[in-house]
Every structure is written in structure tokens, then in C-alpha cells.
Amino acid sequence: MTIRDLLGVIRTRWRLIALCMLVVIGATAATTIVTTPVYEATARIYLETEKAANDRATGSYAITQKDLNTYVAILGSPAVQDPLRERLGLAPGTELNVGATVAELTNMLDVTARSSDPQLAAALANTAGPVLADSAQQFSPLLANNNQIVTATAVTPAVLPSEPISPKVKTNLALALLAGLVVGIGVALIRHLSDTKVRGEDDVRELSDRPILGTIPLVKNAGRPVLSIADEPHSHHAEAIRRLRTNILFVDVTTQGHSFVITSSNPGEGKTTTSVNLALAMADAGSKVLLIDGDLRNPTVAKTMGIEGGSGLTTVLLRRAEALDVVQRWRDTSLYVLPAGQIPPNPSELLGSEAMSLLFQKLSQDFDYILVDSPPINPVIDAVLLNQLTHGLIMVVAAERTKRRELEAALRSLKTVDVPVSGFALNLATAANSLAYRYGTYGYGQTGVMHSSRAERASRSKATRRASRVR
């Protein structure tokens, strides 16, 4: 995975990353709030010996490093803690957290006390020195024999701590932010690597180098067939179809075949709806268009367009009618529809027959463009047979629905029989699936209109020349 891929994952799954960050920060904040604060205070004391007031003997005893280490060790003993509680007025058995370290080459101790009460922490640190000095004689036989006592002088008294040493709110939240970001990116990468569906344009590009000719938005409230070109010509869906039509017209410039198969890897990806709307858009540009329902296993074009589908392609192939007798003009447009007709027991044989080839050649002379709605690629071979008649194959891919392995299998099947894909149409896309919708449609729409106008003028000119030849 490259840095660009990682940035793409972050951009696509930023909501998941943000959620992980919020969870980690929230858990850390909650833990910090319920954690009892701990305050720390430190006092530096100087220990020295002096004779008792009634002692007239000569000589003295100097405190050694060994004695200082002994004093550090007895700080937690009852001999020190009981008098310390008594001086501070604490109840017997109250836990005291007091420790000390020896300052090198001196008779000084750094006494450190910790408590949930900042005042008690400071009092413990300041009081521990004198109490320790009072108890020192019983732990040093030489001091006792010389009748000397230990005194403690505060070099640096402990001050009232202003903030706790634990928990550290700012540090904890900063670490939580960093940890949440790492966890979020990790979860996003796991989700991305384990994701089996095609989510957007980048996923299609990973599987094929063929262009994405159009990105068609999801229509959420579609309780009926989506014929946006006819019913809602100014909708985002209609504009996306026109953009797809424009790009297909440019593809047609290279193929000069004027016929395309519209298919998908599996059922339910919206190929029929795309085929119908694309045919309407081409007819709307002034071309004479024929839409053929080539799905002889599960025909849906007639139902989608609300026309009679009892007679159609199979009727013509069985020589029970002429093509012009069953081709239906849709409303007052230049779009003509050839339904599938009755479902035959041998659809693949019919589509690959010589009769089908002759029929397609004849129809190609009467229409500017022919679009064929084909069965999906993975279940059957029909799309490959139809592609032998046409000059291009458009693959419809449903965002959030098509699985990567299914699309990859379909592309592999086409490559095996040397059938190139002219381009892809990403269907059912949301703003998260497409840059075009993420950044708005105005600028893109203007470009599409500019390109579309050029292609439409060329298409109308070509349609006029072809119509003259037909007449």
C-alpha cells in the first residue's frame, strides 16, 4: 500500500477514524475524572548531631551515609509513622506515603510525600524530618552511647502543590488523541483490506485500466422504474446519464461501430435502468436509437419502459414476424425498442445464431445507435455472444453492492475470450463514492454540457447523413 492509498483510505473512512478517536478520548477522559488525584510535595532537610544539654563529655559523632540510608529505611516503620500521625492529628492506621532519597556527599535528605490532599502532602513532607530526627537515636547505638541527638533543619521547605502529579489531564488527553488516531487508522485499514465490495471509482481502477465513463448517483426514493431523462430531466441522475452518453460518444469515435452491449458482472447492479436511460439520452441528442432487450433469460426492458413485451427478438428470430413489426417507438421520441419476446429454452444458441447476426446487420443500417441490454457476465456467456455483434461493451458496476471478486471474475472471463471493456459506469453512487458529487456538480455539469453540445452536434450531423443514405 502506497502513501496515496493510505490517504485515500483515511479520506474515505474518516468518519470511522473520528469515531475511534472520540471513543478513546472519551474513555480516557472518563477514567481521568474518576481517578483520585495525587499531589506530591518535597522538602530538603539537613541532619546533624549535637550533645544533649546535660552532657559534659567531650567528643562528638558525625552522621554517616550508612546512617542516612538507615533513616530512609525506617520512614515507613511504625517508629516514624505513628509519631507522624500523632503530630498531624491523623487517625491511627491512616496510610501515609512518605519516602526519601539521600543527597550525595551531604547530610541531606529529600523527603517526598504524596496524598490526595495537597495540604496534607506538604505537611507530611515538612513534618517527616523532625519526627525522623527524634527517632534516629534508637536506631544508632553510637549516638546513644555518646548521648547525642539528631536535629533536622529544613533547607527547602515543602510548598503547597498547585496541581496533581497524577492523573495528568493534558498529557493523558494528548496521548489519547494520538492513540485514538492510531487505532482509528488501524481499524480503517483492517476494514479496507477486509472489504469485499466495490465502494467507489478507486476500487474499479484497481481492477482495470479501462476508463470510468460515468458515475450515476443513487436515487433513494425509487418506488418505480427510474426514467430520469424522461421524467426528471434536470435531476442529478439525468445529468449523470448525459455525462455517460457524452463519454460513450467519444468512445464511439474510436470504434466507429455505433453499437454497444450494456452488461454487469451479476444481476441487481442496475444495467437495465442504465441501458434505458442511456438510450433515452442518446435519442434526446437527436439520434435514431434502437434499444434491444438481449436478456432472453430474465427480460426487464419492456416492464421498465411500460410497453408490451409479448412479441420481440425471439419472435423475429423464429421468423414469426418481421423486425419492423415488433419494434416499438417509445412515445414521441426517436427511441425505438425491441423487447425480448417470449423466453426461449435455448437463449445462448439464439443469440449466437446466424439469424441473429443477419438481423443485427440489417438493424444497424436503419439506426444511428444500437444498445443491447445483456445478461450479466458471471452467470452466462450471452454477453460475449452479443459483443461479437456490437463494437463495444459497457460494464455497469454498482457501488456498495458489487463485490470485488465478482467484478474481477467477470473481467477475467472477458479477458479469456479477448473481449475488451470499453469503459465502466459506476451506478448507485453516493457522495462518498465519487469526487464528482463530493465537490459538487456545477463545475462538472458545465463541462459536461460543453462536451455534450459538441458531441450532440456531431451526432445530429451524422444522423442526418445516415438518414439520407437510408432514404
Side-chain angles (χ1 to χ4, degrees), residues 183-453:
V183 171
I185 294 177
V187 173
L189 287 174
I190 293 174
R191 285 287 301 274
H192 175 74
L193 295 176
S194 62
D195 195 357
T196 61
K197 294 182 179 179
V198 174
R199 300 293 179 180
E201 298 172 3
D202 291 339
D203 294 332
V204 177
R205 293 190 181 97
E206 288 179 3
L207 300 177
S208 175
D209 59 354
R210 303 307 298 159
I212 297 177
L213 301 176
T215 301
I216 306 170
L218 171 67
V219 180
K220 296 183 179 180
N221 58 345
R224 54 187 175 82
V226 181
L227 303 179
S228 59
I229 295 295
D231 300 335
E232 299 181 19
H234 301 295
S235 64
H236 288 304
H237 189 275
E239 287 299 324
I241 293 293
R242 294 189 187 97
R243 198 173 296 116
L244 174 62
R245 172 201 63 193
T246 300
N247 291 332
I248 289 179
L249 291 179
F250 283 114
V251 171
D252 182 52
V253 171
T254 62
T255 62
Q256 293 295 324
H258 318 309
S259 56
F260 294 91
V261 172
I262 312 297
T263 186
S264 61
S265 57
N266 281 294
E269 300 184 39
K271 63 175 182 59
T272 299
T273 302
T274 303
S275 300
V276 171
N277 280 282
L278 181 59
L280 287 170
M282 285 185 166
D284 190 50
S287 302
K288 187 178 181 182
V289 182
L290 174 64
L291 174 61
I292 300 177
D293 191 345
D295 192 345
L296 302 185
R297 302 171 188 271
N298 183 30
T300 54
V301 170
K303 182 180 178 181
T304 301
M305 304 188 72
I307 61 176
E308 173 60 36
S311 299
L313 179 59
T314 56
T315 309
V316 178
L317 294 178
L318 294 176
R319 298 180 180 178
R320 295 177 180 174
E322 295 294 329
L324 295 180
D325 296 333
V326 293
V327 170
Q328 304 177 46
R329 183 180 180 181
W330 198 76
R331 299 181 183 176
D332 58 348
T333 67
S334 58
L335 170 62
Y336 295 81
V337 183
L338 178 58
Q342 294 182 345
I343 298 177
N346 56 341
S348 296
E349 288 79 359
L350 285 179
L351 294 176
S353 65
E354 184 178 357
M356 180 65 186
S357 178
L358 294 174
L359 173 63
F360 199 88
Q361 291 178 15
K362 180 180 182 302
L363 294 174
S364 299
Q365 298 174 0
D366 298 332
F367 295 91
D368 298 321
Y369 289 97
I370 297 179
L371 300 180
V372 183
D373 180 40
S374 163
I377 294 173
N378 285 335
V380 293
I381 198 174
D382 297 7
V384 175
L385 298 175
L386 290 169
N387 183 74
Q388 296 175 356
L389 306 175
T390 63
H391 294 78
L393 184 144
I394 308 299
M395 177 82 74
V396 176
V397 180
E400 310 288 345
R401 183 176 298 179
T402 302
K403 294 185 177 180
R404 295 190 188 194
R405 65 174 182 272
E406 294 173 347
L407 177 57
E408 189 173 11
L411 295 174
R412 188 165 53 250
S413 298
L414 293 175
K415 185 177 181 180
T416 301
V417 294
D418 197 24
V419 174
V421 177
S422 299
F424 295 92
L426 183 63
N427 194 27
L428 308 180
T430 62
N433 303 129
S434 171
L435 291 173
Y437 299 106
R438 188 178 305 147
Y439 295 113
T441 57
Y442 178 78
Y444 292 87
Q446 294 296 320
T447 304
V449 169
M450 179 183 66
H451 290 169
S452 179
S453 62

Side-chain angles (χ1 to χ4, degrees), residues 34-112:
V34 300
T35 300
T36 302
V38 177
Y39 294 88
E40 182 179 87
T42 301
R44 170 164 286 192
I45 60 174
Y46 173 71
L47 296 178
E48 61 180 343
T49 61
E50 62 181 21
K51 293 182 179 181
N54 57 355
D55 187 8
R56 298 178 180 178
T58 60
S60 61
Y61 174 76
I63 296 178
T64 65
Q65 287 286 316
K66 183 177 179 181
D67 292 328
L68 291 177
N69 289 326
T70 300
Y71 302 152
V72 171
I74 66 174
L75 268 175
S77 67
V80 176
Q81 296 217 347
D82 288 343
L84 188 56
R85 293 188 190 96
E86 185 177 349
R87 285 200 186 188
L88 295 175
L90 301 176
T94 302
E95 184 177 357
L96 302 180
N97 189 346
V98 183
T101 56
V102 179
E104 294 183 1
L105 305 178
T106 66
N107 286 351
M108 294 185 186
L109 291 179
D110 290 327
V111 180
T112 301

